[in-house]
Amino acid sequence: MSEMETELEESDAGSVLNEKANPCGVLVRPRELRVMLRSVPAPAPGEVRLQMRCVGICGSDVHYWWHGSCGPFRLHDPMIIGHESAGVVEALGAGVTSLQVGDRVALEPGVPCLQCQRCREGRYNLCPNIKFFATPPVDGSLARYVCHPAAWCYRLPESVSLEEGAMCEPLSVAVHANRRAGTTIGSLVLVLGAGPIGLLNCMVAKAFGASIIVVTDIDDRRLAFAETHAGADAVINTRDLDEHDAALVVQQALDGAQADIALDCAGLESTMRLAMHVVRPGGRICLVGMGSSAMHVPLVDASSREIDIFGVFRYSNTYPTCIALLASGRVNVKPLITHRFMGLEESSLEAAFETARTAANGAVKVMLTIPE
Ligand SMILES: [Zn+2]
Ligand SMILES: [Zn+2]
């Protein structure tokens, strides 16, 4: 037994350690979620143990649940699901001084090696050794107790709720995309796709100073949501428009100008093509969504107008920005949380994933809650 474990067993938290159960939301195989009991983990040096409180369901979680894979990652063994999370610190590992028991924190789900070249450049999202919650074979955070490095836990100010803390994860995707796109004061921005990530990209573009934001989608309900809650200046349903007509309508909505930036949160051939038609020479197109893996697009035309086209993979150095955006009220993610379910009860867990998958009853973000 290590010194640290001895220490823990002698502490108050440690004395009840063995009696505590740790129910976890486990994806056993595709379409089979179970609540299983695991042992309560002891925090290693530098880690804290958290009592998890809120875990949002992400498109990737749904993808693992329904298909057993997401992009290049494939589920082989049972895995605890969940990565958009916030909780309360309840035990400190050796050497932790940055946090105290009782602190409310948002958990950044990726823990990079901090040794490799990408990490040293600050682009730790590209670290080949990163351990990211609920990316096989790494377990996620839907559990009563989770240990996580203190350095990747961010204390939430009074004014930011635990649910908002969990939303820092998808919000990070939007902050990273807008940073890569260079959204700034006066930017004319087109957001393609009004799902949760599209809505968050719209909100962040506004917070970063974009002067006009146009949102396209093929679902009127989602577009109405973008206008009411995400600060879209204009919304366009492109369902019945060919790409040239759609480009004209977008340009009208931009007061006759072309867009400086397109954030494609759908990632379909049709949305990328529209982005290429609408973005000005020298503009930027960020591919955020992963709708199709291969597509036919007018690349030479875009190249000859020096349009920069680039991707994003997760995010880096975004959590402090997200917390600042939430604390200042510049971004309000609360309306996005449309549905809540108990996270560690099998029947409600299944219902929650089904709601997230089908977006039933106007679901945008489905939040799993874990009672104290
Ligand atoms: Zn996510
Ligand atoms: Zn690294």
Side-chain angles (χ1 to χ4, degrees):
M1 184 177 287
S2 76
E3 218 175 82
M4 188 203 57
E5 282 170 326
T6 315
E7 224 168 81
L8 262 174
E9 286 200 354
E10 283 164 7
S11 73
D12 279 344
S15 62
V16 290
L17 204 60
N18 294 333
E19 293 138 48
K20 276 186 187 172
N22 188 20
C24 305
V26 179
L27 181 58
V28 177
R29 59 180 69 83
R31 306 186 196 190
E32 188 178 339
L33 281 163
R34 291 261 199 84
V35 175
M36 297 174 132
L37 290 182
R38 300 238 176 129
S39 57
V40 177
E47 288 186 346
V48 292
R49 185 169 63 228
L50 302 134
Q51 192 184 342
M52 302 307 298
R53 300 290 285 282
C54 301
V55 181
I57 299 180
C58 179
S60 67
D61 296 318
V62 171
H63 221 268
Y64 284 121
W65 173 58
W66 201 247
H67 301 287
S69 66
C70 185
F73 304 103
R74 187 162 289 279
L75 182 78
H76 292 290
D77 297 304
M79 174 185 81
I80 299 173
I81 201 84
H83 64 271
E84 303 181 349
S85 43
V88 178
V89 176
E90 68 126 41
L92 306 178
V96 173
T97 54
S98 59
L99 292 172
Q100 295 182 335
V101 170
D103 281 347
R104 300 151 62 253
V105 299
L107 286 73
E108 182 166 351
V111 179
C113 77
L114 299 183
Q115 304 293 319
C116 73
Q117 199 57 39
R118 296 291 86 72
C119 278
R120 288 158 60 145
E121 289 168 358
R123 300 180 72 177
Y124 62 78
N125 55 316
L126 303 178
C127 173
N129 310 311
I130 196 167
K131 291 188 172 65
F132 197 98
F133 279 153
T135 302
V138 181
D139 276 326
S141 57
L142 180 58
R144 180 164 291 155
Y145 300 106
V146 166
C147 287
H148 203 57
W152 300 100
C153 294
Y154 301 83
R155 200 195 335 255
L156 299 172
E158 270 314 306
S159 61
V160 176
S161 69
L162 284 158
E163 280 191 340
E164 292 173 282
M167 290 296 287
C168 285
E169 204 280 334
L171 184 57
S172 283
V173 174
V175 166
H176 186 60
N178 274 280
R179 278 186 185 159
R180 296 256 296 145
T183 308
T184 186
I185 314 291
S187 296
L188 304 180
V189 178
L190 170 64
V191 176
L192 302 113
I197 292 295
L199 295 169
L200 289 166
N201 268 279
C202 183
M203 290 177 178
V204 171
K206 180 127 268 182
F208 281 16
S211 60
I212 306 180
I213 306 168
V214 178
V215 178
T216 62
D217 200 287
I218 54 169
D219 182 326
D220 282 330
R221 184 182 48 76
R222 303 212 302 185
L223 288 169
F225 201 96
E227 213 165 20
T228 313
H229 297 298
D233 297 290
V235 296
I236 298 164
N237 190 325
T238 52
R239 177 180 279 282
D240 299 320
L241 300 174
D242 71 34
E243 63 190 45
H244 296 285
D245 288 343
L248 278 175
V249 178
V250 170
Q251 215 165 315
Q252 281 165 10
L254 292 170
D255 287 342
Q258 290 179 295
D260 299 305
I261 291 161
L263 304 166
D264 186 354
C265 301
L268 300 167
E269 182 171 303
S270 59
T271 51
M272 277 303 274
R273 291 182 67 91
L274 177 55
M276 288 179 180
H277 287 302
V278 166
V279 166
R280 66 166 168 83
R284 294 167 74 76
I285 299 175
C286 181
L287 178 56
V288 185
M290 299 188 293
S292 39
S293 57
M295 46 183 93
H296 187 81
V297 294
L299 204 49
V300 172
D301 172 70
S303 167
S304 62
R305 293 189 293 127
E306 290 200 4
I307 291 174
D308 291 337
I309 302 170
F310 52 91
V312 285
F313 181 66
R314 298 173 182 154
Y315 42 78
S316 55
N317 304 300
T318 49
Y319 267 65
T321 304
C322 290
I323 290 170
L325 286 170
L326 294 168
S328 66
R330 284 191 172 83
V331 164
N332 178 12
V333 295
K334 286 178 189 161
L336 266 54
I337 307 166
T338 51
H339 290 68
R340 293 171 179 84
F341 292 86
M342 296 300 272
L344 294 175
E345 288 171 18
E346 245 161 54
S347 57
S348 67
L349 190 54
E350 182 105 353
F353 270 72
E354 186 61 14
T355 302
R357 185 181 74 84
T358 59
N361 305 316
V364 179
K365 176 57 71 178
V366 177
M367 189 63 69
L368 299 170
T369 57
I370 302 168
E372 213 171 319

